[in-house]
Amino acid sequence: MRIYTLNVNGFRGAEIQPGEYVPHHERQANLHHFMNLLDDTIVDDQSVLIVQEFPHIDSDRSGGKFRWLDNDFYIECLETIKAKYRVIQPTHLIKSEQCTIAICKEASPWKQATEEMFQYNSKYSYGNCLVELQCGEITLLGIHVKPDDQMWNMLLKTIGCKRKYTFIAGDFNAYEHRGTMKDKPKQIRAVGYTPFVPSSVITDTKFNSSIDNIYMDNGYLAVEEVRVDIKNSDVFQTDHLLCGIEFTEKKV
C-alpha cells in the first residue's frame, strides 16, 4: 500500500508569489506534467495521493462586490485526471479557490469514508480542506490545515478520541522549528501519532520549512516496515515535495 501527499500550488509552478499571474498555457503544461507524476505514483489499486491546493472556484473581488465564478481550469483538471483515475472530493466541499482531493485508480478499494469522524461545522470555512477515506479497516484523513488555532483545535479534538484515523496525510502548515504553529506537531505526537517525515527534511521550498507529513496511529500494529519516499519532481513544478510511505500489512 502506498499513501502520498502533495501540495500542487494550483498548478501555478514553484515559488510563485501571492497575486502573481500565471498564464493559462503554463498551468495547462504543468497539469500535463502532473499526469506523468500520477503515472509514476499511482502504481497499483492500493495507491492513493492526497492533493492540496487543487484549483476550485474563482473569486472576483473587482467592482466592489465579491462574487464566485466558475473556473474552467478546475473543470479541465477534473476531466483530464478522471480520464485515467478516480477523484474523491471532500464531503462538504464549500465555495473556495482551492480544495483538497484524493486520487486513486478506478478499481481502487480506497473510497470516501462511510462515517465522518471530523465533525464539520458550516460556520467554519474548512469544508474544502479535508477528505476522509477508508480502505477496508484502514482510515485516512487527507488534510490541508489552516495556520490558525480554530482548525487545529478541531483536528486535535478529533484525533484525541478513542476511535482514530489510521493515517493522516497532508500539508499541516506547522514547522516545529519556528512560526506560530510550531507546537502543533508535538501535540499530534502527544495524542498517539508517529510522523514519517523528519522535521529536518525541507518539504516547502518557498519558505524553507517542513510542513508536509504523514502520521500513523501508534495503535495500528498490523503494518510491516514502512518505506518513506520524499522527492522533488524534475518535471512537475510546485513549491512542495512529494511525500509518501509504502508498506504491507502483516499476514494473520
Side-chain angles (χ1 to χ4, degrees), residues 95-130:
K95 291 182 178 179
S96 57
E97 293 181 340
Q98 297 171 328
C99 60
T100 297
I101 64 170
I103 302 174
C104 58
K105 285 185 177 291
E106 192 61 44
S108 174
W110 283 105
K111 61 181 181 179
Q112 199 154 46
T114 55
E115 182 179 349
E116 292 181 66
M117 293 172 58
F118 201 111
Q119 295 302 307
Y120 175 68
N121 189 321
S122 59
K123 72 178 182 179
Y124 301 130
S125 59
Y126 56 76
N128 60 307
C129 296
L130 54 95

Side-chain angles (χ1 to χ4, degrees), residues 196-216:
F196 287 108
V197 180
S199 62
S200 58
V201 176
I202 299 301
T203 65
D204 178 357
T205 59
K206 183 188 294 185
F207 296 106
N208 195 38
S209 58
S210 182
I211 60 177
D212 306 273
N213 219 315
I214 300 172
Y215 289 85
M216 184 178 74

Side-chain angles (χ1 to χ4, degrees), residues 60-67:
D60 179 15
R61 293 173 171 81
S62 63
K65 185 176 181 179
F66 181 86
R67 298 182 301 164

Side-chain angles (χ1 to χ4, degrees), residues 22-178:
V22 178
H24 180 63
H25 71 273
E26 290 187 13
R27 292 203 295 170
Q28 280 184 314
N30 214 20
L31 172 60
H32 172 76
H33 296 316
F34 178 70
M35 295 302 297
N36 294 331
L37 177 66
L38 280 181
D39 292 341
D40 292 336
T41 304
I42 311 296
V43 296
D44 56 29
D45 287 348
Q46 291 193 322
S47 301
V48 63
L49 170 65
I50 305 299
V51 176
Q52 301 87 38
E53 295 195 11
F54 189 80
H56 188 208
I57 304 175
D58 284 334
S59 61
D60 179 15
R61 293 173 171 81
S62 63
K65 185 176 181 179
F66 181 86
R67 298 182 301 164
W68 289 108
L69 305 174
D70 290 338
N71 183 350
D72 291 340
F73 185 61
Y74 165 65
I75 298 173
E76 181 180 351
C77 289
L78 282 182
E79 291 179 346
T80 301
I81 296 171
K82 285 183 176 181
K84 294 189 66 175
Y85 300 96
R86 179 153 49 91
V87 175
I88 304 174
Q89 296 178 289
T91 301
H92 303 284
L93 181 57
I94 62 175
K95 291 182 178 179
S96 57
E97 293 181 340
Q98 297 171 328
C99 60
T100 297
I101 64 170
I103 302 174
C104 58
K105 285 185 177 291
E106 192 61 44
S108 174
W110 283 105
K111 61 181 181 179
Q112 199 154 46
T114 55
E115 182 179 349
E116 292 181 66
M117 293 172 58
F118 201 111
Q119 295 302 307
Y120 175 68
N121 189 321
S122 59
K123 72 178 182 179
Y124 301 130
S125 59
Y126 56 76
N128 60 307
C129 296
L130 54 95
V131 57
E132 293 177 295
L133 309 172
Q134 65 184 64
C135 178
E137 297 299 316
I138 297 175
T139 54
L140 167 63
L141 173 65
I143 195 166
H144 189 186
V145 187
K146 295 187 176 184
D148 59 52
D149 287 328
Q150 188 181 82
M151 190 172 181
W152 267 106
N153 290 341
M154 290 294 294
L155 172 62
L156 292 168
K157 179 181 178 181
T158 300
I159 64 178
C161 299
K162 289 184 179 180
R163 181 169 175 264
K164 297 181 175 182
Y165 299 107
T166 315
F167 296 94
I168 308 172
D171 178 348
F172 294 85
N173 270 313
Y175 183 32
E176 56 188 301
H177 294 305
R178 65 172 185 269

